[in-house]
């Protein structure tokens, strides 16, 4: 290529050496380069020669002779991939949904849990929830006889869901797949293991690409998963509680790539990412890199988990896989609403255990140094609300003395002050903390005004530090504005 300089050629020679020494190093360098180039591309500042360089570099690992039809323009990471999908059951959705649930399945040597997984999704959802979801099952095995048999079983057992437009079964022909033999053996994996996980990355990329425009959000499941009751309602509460905050991935299970939630607008970019590095590492590792590249450094995982692994045999060689998520709760549980709010405290905060970490379902907490009488932890809601229930837990299992020994919980009205320093002028005390905890129900019957603020007040100094482990707020109807 004429625009290459001698310096550029030497640079890429060094890159090839690094790739041989360390697949992980190659991945990191290439990803960062592509990320920055992508930022320039989206702003229209990249020269045509640079675009060509990106295409050649990114497709080098994917063997463009077999895959050029899917990678015509890698410089547009937000664009969909040109794939011809086969509809094995169902038709294109007539309307956009709130959540798409994506499953990819292949033939297993032992056991098959796909039908049970689909059954669990539908059985654990109410009629109203079913109106807001779409389930997309990708049969990703190249064995056409197995695919035909599975389609028959799915169509017989879930015919009414297919007719209702909430279940689609798709397949991608083998011709669209990149080379799966003779791949790099990173981490000293055997060749068949490398082929299995590399194909799995491509399977998920194709599935993500298909689902990109079906709904507002997308959750990734495996084909051997059990769902908790009314999981969609729980997911919606969590998403609402995160309004105004940046996130790439919300996790509703701690296992692999089960229960990973994304904005649908991120799916095309994630699909491209999995395809570019399909042979480098397993899918769950790539998902971690993707999250980090989009500037979400910390895991955002919610408890209790909404999805549980139920298979005993892996889709890889039928090996035993008895992993379980011990944070999973199957029966309906009461997830707090925690409406959007500004959080502040006058206590001396320890390191990065800031106030925001107590007001969420994430497994984190607020930690302040020994509080004095009159110290407080304040919550100012973005809108006045009606509250039905409040629960506050202080201390942890390993720091059982870092509780609020003497304190009270109050709610307030009539906000004054600027946006940064807003507070209520009057407060009503709802009760005292007992053994470090506070819980009250029927708040809407005890408080006659719409609540603007809530605060935890220290009523007596203590020498112990204070951990506020969780603050949970349940709302009733929205007050009239």
């Amino acid at each position: 290529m004429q625009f290459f300089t001698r310096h550029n050629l030497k640079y890429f020679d060094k890159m090839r050496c690094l790739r041989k020494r360390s697949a992980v190093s190659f991945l990191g360098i290439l990803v960062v380069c592509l990320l920055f180039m992508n930022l320039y591309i989206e702003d229209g500042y990249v020269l045509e020669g640079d675009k060509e360089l990106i295409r050649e570099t990114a497709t080098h690992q994917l063997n463009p002779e077999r895959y050029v039809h899917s990678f015509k323009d890698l410089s547009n990471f937000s664009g969909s991939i040109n794939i011809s999908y086969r509809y094995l059951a169902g038709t294109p959705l007539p309307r956009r949904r709130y959540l798409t649930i994506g499953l990819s399945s292949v033939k297993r040597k032992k056991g098959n849990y796909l039908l049970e997984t689909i059954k669990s999704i539908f059985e654990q959802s109410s009629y109203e929830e079913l109106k807001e979801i779409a389930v997309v099952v990708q049969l990703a095995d190249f064995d056409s006889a197995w695919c035909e048999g599975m389609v028959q079983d799915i169509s017989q057992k879930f015919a009414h869901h297919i007719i209702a437009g909430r279940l689609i079964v798709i397949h991608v022909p083998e011709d669209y797949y990149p080379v799966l033999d003779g791949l790099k053996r990173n981490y000293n994996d055997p060749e068949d293991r490398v082929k299995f996980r590399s194909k799995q990355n491509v399977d998920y990329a194709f599935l993500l690409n298909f689902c990109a425009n079906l709904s507002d959000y997308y959750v990734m499941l495996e084909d051997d998963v059990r769902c908790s009751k009314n999981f969609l309602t729980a997911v919606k509460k969590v998403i609402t509680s995160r309004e105004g905050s940046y996130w790439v991935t919300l996790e509703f299970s701690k296992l692999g790539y089960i229960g990973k939630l994304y904005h649908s607008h991120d799916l095309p970019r994630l699909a491209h990412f999995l395809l570019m590095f399909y042979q480098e590492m397993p899918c769950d590792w790539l998902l971690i890199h993707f999250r980090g590249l989009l500037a979400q450094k910390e895991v955002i995982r919610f408890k209790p988990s909404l999805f549980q692994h139920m298979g005993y045999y892996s889709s890889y060689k039928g090996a035993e896989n008895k992993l379980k998520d011990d944070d999973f709760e199957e029966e309906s549980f009461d997830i707090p609403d925690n409406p959007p709010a500004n959080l502040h405290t006058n206590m001396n905060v320890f390191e990065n255990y800031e106030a925001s970490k107590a007001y969420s379902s994430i497994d984190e907490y607020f930690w302040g140094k020994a509080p004095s009488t009159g110290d407080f932890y304040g919550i100012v809601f973005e809108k006045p609300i009606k509250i039905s229930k409040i629960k506050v837990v202080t201390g942890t299992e390993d720091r059982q003395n870092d509780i609020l020994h003497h304190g009270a919980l109050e709610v307030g009205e009539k906000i004054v002050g600027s946006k940064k320093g807003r507070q209520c002028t009057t407060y009503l005390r709802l009760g005292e903390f007992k053994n470090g905890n506070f819980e009250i129900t029927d708040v809407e019957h005890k408080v006659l005004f719409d609540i603007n603020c809530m605060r935890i007040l220290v009523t007596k100094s203590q020498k112990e530090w204070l951990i506020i482990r969780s603050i949970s707020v349940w709302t009733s109807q929205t007050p009239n504005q």
Side-chain angles (χ1 to χ4, degrees):
M1 297 178 65
Q2 295 180 354
F3 61 89
F4 274 164
T5 64
R6 184 174 301 174
H7 174 75
N8 286 336
L9 291 172
K10 289 181 179 180
Y11 173 75
F12 281 103
D13 283 340
K14 292 180 181 179
M15 287 293 291
R16 283 193 290 270
C17 292
L18 286 172
R19 184 183 60 197
K20 293 178 182 178
R21 294 174 188 171
S22 171
V24 177
S25 298
F26 168 77
L27 176 61
I29 294 169
L30 180 56
V31 167
V32 171
C33 290
L34 288 173
L35 179 65
F36 281 103
M37 287 181 179
N38 180 42
L39 294 176
Y40 284 111
I41 290 164
E42 291 180 346
D43 288 334
Y45 295 131
V46 173
L47 300 174
E48 285 302 312
D50 293 326
K51 292 182 181 179
E52 184 65 20
L53 175 59
I54 294 171
R55 285 197 290 272
E56 290 199 355
T57 305
T59 58
H60 176 74
Q61 298 297 327
L62 294 178
N63 195 332
E65 286 77 17
R66 288 196 60 186
Y67 207 51
V68 66
H69 54 282
S70 293
F71 278 86
K72 290 181 179 178
D73 187 8
L74 270 179
S75 63
N76 182 11
F77 290 132
S78 60
S80 61
I81 302 164
N82 185 21
I83 298 291
S84 295
Y85 295 89
R86 289 181 55 200
Y87 280 79
L88 304 183
T91 56
L93 296 182
R95 61 179 177 83
R96 190 177 178 90
R97 308 295 167 86
Y98 183 83
L99 179 70
T100 298
I101 302 161
L103 308 168
S104 183
S105 186
V106 295
K107 180 171 66 175
R108 294 170 180 258
K109 291 189 175 181
K110 292 183 180 180
N112 189 303
Y113 312 98
L114 177 59
L115 297 178
E116 293 179 56
T117 300
I118 299 172
K119 180 181 177 183
S120 179
I121 292 171
F122 291 134
E123 283 192 346
Q124 298 291 60
S125 302
S126 68
Y127 177 71
E128 291 302 316
E129 289 172 327
L130 289 175
K131 294 178 182 179
E132 299 189 76
I133 66 173
V135 179
V136 178
V137 176
Q138 176 179 237
L139 299 182
D141 206 278
F142 297 149
D143 185 336
S144 59
W146 177 84
C147 290
E148 290 171 7
M150 285 306 305
V151 171
Q152 269 194 339
D153 290 342
I154 293 171
S155 299
Q156 288 173 1
K157 293 180 182 295
F158 307 104
H160 59 296
H161 292 296
I162 294 173
I163 294 170
R166 64 178 69 102
L167 175 60
I168 299 173
V169 183
I170 62 171
H171 176 74
V172 177
E174 186 175 359
D175 291 344
Y176 283 90
Y177 279 73
V179 170
L180 296 173
D181 294 310
L183 303 179
K184 294 188 297 181
R185 291 179 57 188
N186 294 342
Y187 317 111
N188 203 32
D189 283 346
E191 287 187 18
D192 57 348
R193 174 67 182 175
V194 171
K195 180 176 182 178
F196 171 82
R197 61 171 169 78
S198 298
K199 178 184 177 296
Q200 191 174 58
N201 285 332
V202 180
D203 293 341
Y204 279 116
F206 289 163
L207 177 60
L208 293 165
N209 185 67
F210 179 86
C211 295
N213 296 310
L214 303 184
S215 59
D216 299 327
Y217 302 97
Y218 172 89
V219 67
M220 181 180 290
L221 296 185
E222 295 184 25
D223 63 350
D224 53 357
V225 168
R226 191 167 74 249
C227 306
S228 67
K229 190 74 172 176
N230 302 119
F231 64 88
L232 176 62
T233 298
V235 167
K236 291 182 73 173
K237 280 190 174 185
V238 167
I239 291 174
T240 300
S241 73
R242 302 290 301 183
E243 281 183 5
S245 65
Y246 177 78
W247 59 269
V248 177
T249 311
L250 302 182
E251 303 189 8
F252 295 91
S253 171
K254 64 182 180 182
L255 299 180
Y257 31 83
I258 296 174
K260 305 301 182 279
L261 184 86
Y262 298 90
H263 295 277
S264 290
H265 60 69
D266 282 334
L267 297 187
R269 198 178 331 201
L270 178 54
H272 279 296
F273 184 80
L274 292 180
L275 283 171
M276 282 191 290
F277 305 109
Y278 78 107
Q279 64 172 306
E280 300 296 338
M281 60 183 67
C283 182
D284 49 341
W285 294 9
L286 286 173
L287 295 181
I288 295 171
H289 283 287
F290 179 79
R291 184 197 75 215
L293 284 169
L294 293 187
Q296 181 190 317
K297 296 181 180 180
E298 303 296 330
V299 174
I300 305 176
R301 187 169 73 83
F302 296 87
K303 291 184 180 181
S305 297
L306 301 181
F307 307 100
Q308 177 66 287
H309 179 260
M310 67 176 175
Y312 289 102
Y313 299 102
S314 168
S315 51
Y316 172 63
K317 283 189 168 183
E320 284 193 2
N321 180 9
K322 297 182 179 180
L323 285 176
K324 296 295 178 185
D325 188 336
D326 52 13
D327 293 325
F328 173 74
E329 291 183 16
E330 183 167 8
E331 293 305 312
S332 180
F333 48 86
D334 197 8
I335 288 187
D337 298 295
N338 281 24
N342 294 315
L343 312 168
H344 60 282
T345 182
N346 66 343
M347 286 181 254
N348 189 0
V349 180
F350 175 62
E351 293 186 351
N352 63 336
Y353 293 88
E354 60 263 16
S356 61
K357 295 190 174 181
Y359 189 69
S360 74
S361 298
I362 306 174
D363 192 22
E364 296 179 316
Y365 51 81
F366 164 78
W367 200 0
K369 298 180 180 180
S372 303
T373 303
D375 283 353
F376 67 89
Y377 177 107
I379 301 172
V380 180
F381 300 107
E382 291 186 2
K383 298 178 181 179
I385 60 172
K386 292 287 189 184
I387 293 178
S388 59
K389 178 181 174 182
I390 301 170
K391 183 178 180 180
V392 181
V393 178
T394 68
T396 61
E397 292 181 3
D398 58 338
R399 294 188 176 275
Q400 298 182 14
N401 212 33
D402 284 3
I403 63 174
L404 182 54
H405 294 274
H406 302 280
L409 189 134
E410 301 176 336
V411 293
E413 62 175 337
K414 299 178 181 177
I415 290 182
V416 295
S418 62
K419 189 172 182 180
K420 291 185 178 180
R422 299 167 73 212
Q423 58 183 345
C424 286
T425 57
T426 58
Y427 281 91
L428 172 67
R429 182 164 297 187
L430 296 183
E432 309 286 332
F433 277 74
K434 295 181 180 179
N435 299 318
N437 299 324
F438 179 90
E439 184 169 358
I440 186 172
T441 58
D442 298 321
V443 178
E444 70 272 36
H445 299 131
K446 300 168 183 175
V447 179
L448 301 180
F449 54 83
D450 295 340
I451 297 172
N452 292 104
C453 307
M454 191 174 93
R455 71 180 179 188
I456 299 168
L457 186 66
V458 179
T459 56
K460 185 179 178 180
S461 300
Q462 62 185 59
K463 61 181 180 180
E464 298 84 6
W465 288 17
L466 172 62
I467 290 175
I468 302 179
R469 185 173 181 178
S470 63
I471 300 171
S472 302
V473 177
W474 289 262
T475 60
S476 51
Q477 79 277 7
T478 303
N480 295 327
Q481 301 297 316

